[in-house]
Amino acid sequence: MTILETRTVAAGSLLTVASLSVEEVAAILAATDRLERMAAAERAKILAGRRIALLFYESSTRTRTSFELAAKSLGAMTTLVSDKSSSIEKGESLKDTGLTLRALGAECIVLRHANSGAPYLLAKSTGLPVLNAGDGMHEHPSQALLDLRTMLARLPGIDGRLVNAKTLEGVTVVITGDILHSRVARSNAMLLPRLGARVVLCGPKELLPEDALGLGVADSSGTVEIERDFDKALKQAGTEGKAVVMMLRIQRERLAGLELDLGDYTSRYQLDEERLGARAPEALVMHPGPMIRGLEIAGEVADGPNSAIEDQVRHGLAVRTALLVRALGVGGFESVTV
């Protein structure tokens, strides 16, 4: 999906982080800050009476719940449509489901779908602003934005109010796990280098193809690299300044046909206390969830002082509040066409 293609959809849509300029990212985060500081009663007036549909073809806890709570905190009415409790189960197409929701008064649709590109199809067919809540192996834009806000809040020596192409200079983000199937990794690798970060993708060849290097943006001030050895990646990140270690879930349901020994994977790539303490003791630890404790991350690390995992959930609620206001272009946070 090209940036030109995304410009043909409704203003306020967010289908890919590639459509956001650094200035627009800064504006979204600034709006997030302003909304978060508002009194609850004032915030609840912003989208009072507006109608938002949550259309989820895949299971979700964090993303779906945070979008729903964000919408309700703004005073909006929400309806949840899933593939297990609607005409979708009977074979209705995505287009027809979207048109039905529009006819029922939905003014914005939050979509999670198993097929890459589905949010663009929905946005084109309905003319409504669509927020991509994860599409197949493609992207998860709001996750990348909330991850960015978490880093800005937790990393020392960074002024989160000044978001530009050099904000994350000197920051190394090691993303480890199932990169091949991860829309979270893809969106972060596309966004963070544009703010100056060095992104190191780490994992075995079965889960991390060499073409992942193409996720970097040519004119960004940061880089995207591959390092197969997790210990080397951690040690390098831990000695080069500010470090973030983002662990990804091993998606067992997507491992069919891959020659991957989970015992060997755990030995080589699990983030445990010994590995973290020896190689990157000051690193910020992140995980988009759901976690598999004891596989990609040890429980003591997930619950330890370096962990920002619960912070990510809190920032997700805040960022998605701003994205909904942006989508509907009201309350002083007018939409930017992307």
Side-chain angles (χ1 to χ4, degrees):
M1 187 185 310
T2 67
I3 294 177
L4 179 60
E5 286 176 321
T6 63
R7 293 190 184 279
T8 66
V9 302
S13 292
L14 180 56
L15 310 181
T16 167
V17 294
S19 68
L20 294 174
S21 67
V22 172
E23 292 75 19
E24 287 165 338
V25 171
I28 289 169
L29 295 185
T32 303
D33 292 342
R34 293 198 295 274
L35 285 162
E36 197 171 47
R37 290 194 300 268
M38 280 185 181
E42 182 183 1
R43 190 166 55 245
K45 297 176 183 178
I46 296 175
L47 296 184
R50 306 297 292 272
R51 298 176 180 179
I52 296 170
L54 307 174
L55 181 52
F56 277 67
Y57 285 73
E58 291 184 323
S59 299
S60 170
T61 299
R62 292 158 188 79
T63 303
R64 193 208 78 194
T65 304
S66 61
F67 266 117
E68 184 173 9
L69 291 176
K72 290 181 176 177
S73 76
L74 294 163
M77 296 182 290
T78 64
T79 183
L80 172 64
V81 182
S82 74
D83 63 339
K84 299 296 188 294
S85 59
S86 68
S87 293
I88 296 169
E89 194 174 20
K90 301 173 184 176
E92 184 173 69
S93 70
L94 174 62
K95 176 180 178 179
D96 287 328
T97 298
L99 293 174
T100 297
L101 291 174
R102 185 182 68 180
L104 290 170
E107 300 171 78
C108 171
I109 300 177
V110 180
L111 176 67
R112 169 164 288 188
H113 202 282
N115 293 336
S116 301
Y120 177 70
L121 172 64
L122 186 67
K124 282 282 290 181
S125 61
T126 64
L128 296 176
V130 171
L131 299 180
N132 181 359
D135 63 326
M137 293 163 54
H138 180 226
E139 276 204 57
H140 197 344
S142 63
Q143 181 71 43
L145 291 169
L146 74 88
D147 287 342
L148 170 60
R149 192 172 194 250
T150 303
M151 294 176 201
L152 297 178
R154 285 287 299 265
L155 289 173
I158 292 179
D159 187 347
R161 297 167 300 178
L162 300 175
V163 178
N164 55 47
K166 296 186 177 181
T167 296
L168 294 181
E169 274 193 350
V171 175
T172 298
V173 182
V174 179
I175 304 178
T176 303
D178 187 359
I179 311 290
L180 175 64
H181 300 107
S182 177
R183 50 200 175 205
V184 173
R186 189 165 286 102
S187 286
N188 272 292
M190 293 171 67
L191 176 65
L192 299 178
R194 295 167 62 203
L195 302 173
R198 173 184 177 229
V199 172
V200 179
L201 304 176
C202 188
K205 63 181 183 344
E206 295 87 351
L207 300 178
L208 175 54
E210 288 292 333
D211 61 11
L213 289 172
L215 295 172
V217 179
D219 60 351
S220 66
S221 56
T223 61
V224 176
E225 306 166 27
I226 286 177
E227 171 56 67
R228 301 289 179 193
D229 189 313
F230 189 33
D231 292 309
K232 287 182 180 179
L234 284 176
K235 187 173 182 179
Q236 193 174 33
T239 57
E240 289 192 352
K242 304 178 184 69
V244 177
V245 183
M246 184 181 296
M247 306 305 296
L248 301 174
R249 176 172 66 97
I250 295 302
Q251 304 179 59
R252 297 175 189 266
E253 67 274 17
R254 290 180 171 171
L255 297 183
L258 297 180
E259 295 180 3
L260 187 70
D261 184 288
L262 287 180
D264 178 65
Y265 179 88
T266 300
S267 173
R268 294 170 60 196
Y269 294 103
Q270 183 189 85
L271 185 64
D272 58 23
E273 276 191 316
E274 181 180 356
R275 182 168 263 148
L276 181 66
R279 295 165 179 82
E282 303 300 320
L284 188 67
V285 175
M286 300 175 67
H287 195 304
M291 291 181 289
I292 305 179
R293 292 170 182 255
L295 205 167
E296 75 270 7
I297 189 168
E300 60 268 21
V301 174
D303 299 329
N306 293 47
S307 176
I309 295 171
E310 288 190 21
D311 291 343
Q312 288 174 269
V313 176
R314 287 191 288 269
H315 287 298
L317 176 60
V319 166
R320 287 164 179 146
T321 302
L323 291 177
L324 288 169
V325 173
R326 175 180 177 272
L328 292 171
V330 297
F333 303 101
E334 282 71 21
S335 300
V336 178
T337 301
V338 296

